[in-house]
Amino acid sequence: MRMRIVLPALAALALAGCGEAGRGANEATAADAANAEANALGNAAAGDNALAAVLAMNDRQRNVVFIRALLDAGIDCQAVTGSERMPDQDGKPMWRASCSDHNMHMISITPDGTANIVTRTDR
């Protein structure tokens, strides 16, 4: 089953708790690398670019975005316990999100905040 969900509040989630004060050199370098990756995909690193925001997030922040996308899609998932970056699909970043019930979902985010979710319902 394939679903598309628009996440208009994604940018707000990405910015919540993303203060510049207290960021270590490693975090700044990771954020810079993520923004460079988003630019390489042909996306402007503007403040309204949800994909750039997701790429710059740490694991915990990204899992919060993924649980919101799954719940908005009507997929039963009590918690996203982890996510891992997978090979790009059609030039778009892809993650595998694991729910606490051991179900897994493939999620990609577009620059406009649309979450594309691919999941199997036959298990």
Side-chain angles (χ1 to χ4, degrees), residues 5-15 30-58 61-62 65-66 85-86 88-95 107-116:
I5 303 296
V6 177
L7 301 172
L10 182 62
L13 281 173
L15 295 176
D32 294 342
N35 284 332
E37 181 177 357
N39 287 335
L41 293 171
N43 301 317
D48 60 348
N49 185 335
L51 175 57
V54 170
L55 287 167
M57 290 177 178
N58 64 36
Q61 292 168 324
R62 191 171 33 256
V65 170
F66 291 162
R85 181 75 185 266
M86 303 302 290
D88 292 355
Q89 181 75 27
D90 299 325
K92 297 176 187 139
M94 177 81 66
W95 289 268
I107 301 175
S108 66
I109 306 291
T110 63
D112 69 356
T114 301
N116 295 302

Side-chain angles (χ1 to χ4, degrees), residues 95-106:
W95 289 268
R96 178 173 43 211
S98 303
C99 288
S100 56
D101 61 1
H102 305 292
N103 287 326
M104 295 189 184
H105 311 278
M106 303 302 285

